[in-house]
Amino acid sequence: MSTSEPPAWRHCAHGADPAADPVGCRGIHVPGRTACLAHLADADREAYLAALTPGSDIDHRGTTFSEPLLNALLNALRDPTTGHPRLGAAGFGSAAFEGAARFESATFERGAVFESATFKRSARFESATFERDAVFESVMFKGVAWFRSATFKRDAVFESATFERGARFGPATFEGAAWFESATFEDDAGFASATFEHHAVFMSAMFKGAAWFGSATFEGDAGFESVTFERGAQFGSATFKGAAGFDSATVKDAARFDSAIFEGVAWFGAVTFEGAAWFGSATFEQYALFESATFERAARFDSAIFERAARFDSATFEDVAWFDSATFEEVDQFGPLVCAGRIVLSGAKFGGPVTLLLAARRLECRRTRWSSTAEIRLRYATVDFAHAVFEYPLTIAAEPDPFVLTGGRPLAEDVFTGEYDPEVRVASLRGVDAAHLVLADLDLSECLFSGTVHLDQLRLEGACTFDTAPPAVHWRRWPPVRFTERRVLAEEHHWRASQSGAVRGWNVAVLGAGRAGPLQLAPVYRALRKAFEDGKHEPGAADFYYGEMEMRRHADDIPSSERRLLTAYWALSGYGLRASRALAWLGAAMLVTIVLLMAFGLAQDTPKQTATGTVPVGGGKVTFEIDKDDPQNPAGDRFTGKRFEKALNVTLNSVVFRASGQDLTTAGTYIEMTSRLSEPILLGLAVLAVRNRVKR
């Protein structure tokens, strides 16, 4: 910053009341006179003003100007060709302007110094031109300060200035540096469409009213570090061609940067946004740095473009963070950050390899597109991944411990109270091509899978959990209903709960699952079974095989004969997966066989053999015919211990497909044949079920 001062400026003695006591006036003496302009005799004042010409240097520091006196001075300096005042070096330091100060369209050719001046009414500098430095340091503007369309060709210094009423600088042009460091704006500050061709420094400024910088252009660096915006900051459609520094700033109302263009680095580290933060459709051509920023209300970055890195390390979002339709062209890491509400990445696009580190209650990635490899590591979140598109491997994993920042410090998660479980849940994978998807350590109990393609190629790593069937026995008329515990999809929960007469325990509160029925769920179970088999998780594959068969049995498109066959398969052994059921049927079949054999199958006594023959006359060979009586049904007590032992022997041999060798009645023979056919099948189903549950 450079300043130029008119030569031979002199101060007169200090006094308490310059208007009443010209001897004590602090105003600079008029050249060749012994008083300031305000206290000159009328004849001397008129002579002085008459001697002035457009472009003359003036020095009236400390002078108190009434409105008529200032108008007379400016009229004496008015250029007849333009009709506007033209001043050379203008010294108004510590001057006091009692009335409206009208410097509209004035030209200050050799600098203007208003340092520590006081404008008690409005100060009007519209369309003024400052050819050299304009110094308004520590100026007090008690009325509205008008600088609309003003042109500052060198430095404009407003450091520590106070604007008690509105400040209007739009669309002023600052060709040199603009210094507003530690300035105080008590009312609205308007810089809309202003142009800053060099540095714009607002460091530690205080904006107590609204700050309007919409459509402003910052061609040099813009420094808003530690600035306080009490009634919002409006930077919509602003252009920052240099670095934009907002580190440690505080915005207590809405911050609007929508459609802003950041051609240089955008620094928002440790900024506190107490109101909504709008960055919709903003363009960040260089780094966008939001480390340790705090967003207390909604933060909107929808349709924003991040061409380079977007750093949100240790940022805190206490409400919703909107990044829908945003474009991340070269972002390699997003986070770690904390969000107490939702993070919306729906429709966003990631152009390169990226790692997302997020601790949030909900993450929405509907129709999000990844054009390269990606890893999403989460805590606390419920993830909606419906219709997401990724062309390369993508991993969604739960992070068991808090994220660690670069310096080794864990990420603070104060927004999550002890009631929140850091477990990560997936809400939907509908419409996703799962060929390149890896899920690790996730809760899939509420996940919607119908509509997912290549689901059989999904990789499940770690401890991925699913919902289960309702436990215990449910007495619903007769017979009682008992569901064996197994992994169940959320869509089956909803479908079963929506059926008439459904038992309690099936979850109906599954958002968006209403259209999936058995016909749609059967291939989903089949594909997930294949995924579990490829992962060598046979018990999990068995559960999904059970689910597939259940859906086939209840589907509307199968013939009644096939439905009956599947029902029998389910009832006898739970599709070859319920050993207890098959053993129960085997036990029941053996018991029935024993009872029937004791009642009808065992002969009363062991039939005796008789031999008959004829001796030929005259001797010779004798031929005997050996016969055996048919076994007789018992006539007495049929249920004796001895008969039970024989029946048990016959039944056990039938189970292992062996003949017992017992004498049976005709009915007993058929009973044994039936037993030898059915009971080995039931035994085989039980063995198969055990094998399916324990093999690896």
Side-chain angles (χ1 to χ4, degrees):
M1 180 186 70
S2 63
T3 59
S4 59
E5 295 184 352
W9 285 358
R10 298 168 295 150
H11 288 280
C12 59
H14 292 272
D17 188 355
D21 183 8
V23 177
C25 174
R26 292 181 298 174
I28 201 78
H29 289 178
V30 174
R33 307 295 195 276
T34 59
C36 70
L37 184 62
H39 295 112
L40 280 178
D42 292 344
D44 290 338
R45 183 184 302 115
E46 291 176 1
Y48 167 72
L49 294 176
L52 295 177
T53 59
S56 296
D57 293 344
I58 58 173
D59 179 11
H60 295 291
R61 290 175 292 168
T63 302
T64 299
F65 285 91
S66 64
E67 187 170 346
L69 178 59
L70 178 61
N71 290 338
L73 176 62
L74 295 178
N75 287 334
L77 298 168
R78 198 173 300 276
D79 190 336
T81 60
T82 62
H84 303 306
R86 183 160 56 86
L87 296 78
F92 290 95
S94 299
F97 298 88
E98 300 287 345
R102 297 182 175 276
F103 290 87
E104 298 102 321
S105 302
T107 299
F108 298 85
E109 295 181 345
R110 295 184 57 208
V113 178
F114 289 83
E115 183 177 1
S116 300
T118 300
F119 294 85
K120 295 184 178 180
R121 300 284 298 277
S122 62
R124 308 194 70 98
F125 290 85
E126 297 104 314
S127 301
T129 300
F130 299 87
E131 299 284 350
R132 293 195 179 182
D133 293 350
V135 181
F136 289 84
E137 187 174 356
S138 300
V139 169
M140 176 71 72
F141 295 93
K142 292 182 176 294
V144 180
W146 299 87
F147 288 86
R148 285 179 174 171
S149 301
T151 300
F152 300 86
K153 295 191 174 183
R154 297 284 294 274
D155 290 356
V157 183
F158 289 85
E159 292 177 348
S160 301
T162 300
F163 300 84
E164 292 189 359
R165 301 288 298 277
R168 305 290 184 264
F169 285 87
T173 300
F174 298 85
E175 297 182 8
W179 300 87
F180 287 85
E181 186 174 358
S182 300
T184 300
F185 299 85
E186 302 280 351
D187 206 332
D188 293 352
F191 289 84
S193 301
T195 300
F196 300 87
E197 297 183 4
H198 208 268
H199 301 314
V201 181
F202 288 83
M203 188 180 300
S204 301
M206 172 72 74
F207 292 88
K208 296 185 178 181
W212 300 88
F213 287 86
S215 301
T217 300
F218 299 86
E219 297 187 4
D221 294 345
F224 289 86
E225 294 88 345
S226 302
V227 171
T228 299
F229 300 91
E230 292 194 355
R231 292 187 57 194
Q234 306 287 338
F235 287 85
S237 300
T239 300
F240 298 86
K241 295 186 177 182
F246 289 84
D247 288 352
S248 302
T250 300
V251 187
K252 296 186 177 182
D253 207 327
R256 301 201 68 109
F257 290 84
D258 34 323
S259 300
I261 298 175
F262 298 87
E263 297 183 8
V265 179
W267 301 84
F268 287 88
V271 174
T272 299
F273 297 93
E274 297 184 7
W278 300 77
F279 288 85
S281 300
T283 300
F284 299 88
E285 296 184 5
Q286 296 294 326
Y287 297 147
L289 307 175
F290 288 84
E291 292 101 327
S292 301
T294 299
F295 300 84
E296 297 184 3
R297 300 288 296 277
R300 304 201 66 108
F301 290 84
D302 37 315
S303 300
I305 298 175
F306 299 89
E307 296 185 5
R308 300 289 295 277
R311 310 297 300 189
F312 285 85
D313 302 24
S314 195
T316 300
F317 296 85
E318 298 182 7
D319 205 322
V320 183
W322 300 86
F323 290 87
D324 47 315
S325 301
T327 300
F328 301 86
E329 294 184 1
E330 296 183 10
V331 176
D332 60 347
Q333 180 172 312
F334 186 72
L337 59 82
V338 174
C339 181
R342 292 181 296 155
I343 298 178
V344 181
L345 286 168
S346 298
K349 300 177 182 178
F350 292 86
V354 62
T355 299
L356 284 73
L357 307 172
L358 311 173
R361 292 187 186 176
R362 186 173 180 87
L363 173 63
E364 295 182 4
C365 294
R366 301 191 190 102
R367 302 176 307 281
T368 307
R369 180 181 292 272
W370 281 269
S371 298
S372 186
T373 57
E375 181 181 17
I376 305 175
R377 305 199 69 84
L378 303 169
R379 286 175 58 78
Y380 298 97
T382 297
V383 186
D384 187 349
F385 224 66
H387 304 284
V389 178
F390 39 92
E391 304 170 10
Y392 295 88
L394 184 144
T395 301
I396 305 176
E399 186 72 18
D401 301 313
F403 296 111
V404 178
L405 302 175
T406 304
R409 177 173 53 90
L411 178 67
E413 299 178 345
D414 298 339
V415 297
F416 298 105
T417 62
E419 64 187 66
Y420 291 101
D421 186 352
E423 186 177 44
V424 178
R425 296 153 294 279
V426 180
S428 177
L429 290 175
R430 284 186 168 179
V432 170
D433 185 343
H436 301 291
L437 182 60
V438 179
L439 305 180
D441 300 313
L442 302 179
D443 180 357
L444 302 174
S445 61
E446 299 178 0
C447 185
L448 306 180
F449 286 96
S450 60
T452 306
V453 298
H454 294 143
L455 194 55
D456 58 323
Q457 300 179 42
L458 173 68
R459 288 183 56 189
L460 299 173
E461 304 287 348
C464 289
T465 60
F466 290 82
D467 207 345
T468 58
V473 178
H474 299 267
W475 297 91
R476 187 191 60 181
R477 298 181 182 177
W478 185 260
V481 177
R482 178 181 181 275
F483 294 99
T484 307
E485 184 176 352
R486 63 180 173 91
R487 295 171 180 84
V488 178
L489 296 182
E491 286 114 324
E492 181 180 349
H493 261 276
H494 181 83
W495 172 75
R496 288 188 180 274
S498 64
Q499 302 302 300
S500 59
V503 301
R504 297 181 60 184
W506 292 106
N507 181 19
V508 71
V510 180
L511 182 63
R515 293 187 299 273
L519 192 60
Q520 293 78 27
L521 292 179
V524 175
Y525 272 113
R526 182 162 51 252
L528 286 174
R529 172 177 61 85
K530 175 67 163 51
F532 271 98
E533 289 174 346
D534 292 343
K536 306 303 181 183
H537 190 339
E538 296 298 340
D543 281 348
F544 283 99
Y545 173 73
Y546 191 102
E548 175 192 355
M549 299 299 289
E550 277 287 272
M551 295 302 100
R552 285 182 56 193
R553 184 167 68 91
H554 290 285
D556 297 329
D557 65 334
I558 65 171
S560 57
S561 58
E562 183 179 346
R563 189 189 308 278
R564 288 192 293 270
L565 180 62
L566 290 176
T567 301
Y569 192 22
W570 162 76
L572 291 175
S573 64
Y575 308 112
L577 296 173
R578 300 294 182 259
S580 59
R581 192 177 305 180
L583 291 174
W585 280 109
L586 176 60
M590 293 174 64
L591 180 61
V592 170
T593 301
I594 290 172
V595 172
L596 291 177
L597 286 174
M598 292 175 66
F600 307 106
L602 296 177
Q604 182 175 3
D605 296 308
T606 301
K608 297 179 180 180
Q609 295 181 343
T610 58
T612 59
T614 303
V615 178
V617 180
K621 186 176 181 180
V622 178
T623 301
F624 291 93
E625 182 177 331
I626 300 175
D627 197 6
K628 185 177 182 181
D629 295 339
D630 292 335
Q632 301 298 314
N633 288 326
D637 188 2
R638 306 183 182 190
F639 299 96
T640 63
K642 185 176 180 181
R643 291 177 62 82
F644 173 78
E645 183 179 355
K646 291 183 177 182
L648 179 61
N649 182 271
V650 173
T651 303
L652 292 176
N653 279 279
S654 297
V655 170
V656 295
F657 214 72
R658 292 180 55 192
S660 63
Q662 297 287 338
D663 293 316
L664 302 175
T665 63
T666 302
T669 301
Y670 286 104
I671 293 172
E672 183 186 33
M673 292 172 59
T674 304
S675 175
R676 290 178 65 186
L677 175 65
S678 60
E679 291 170 5
I681 294 176
L682 294 174
L683 179 61
L685 291 174
V687 173
L688 176 64
V690 173
R691 170 60 177 160
N692 287 333
R693 303 306 300 185
V694 301
K695 71 177 180 178
R696 288 292 185 269

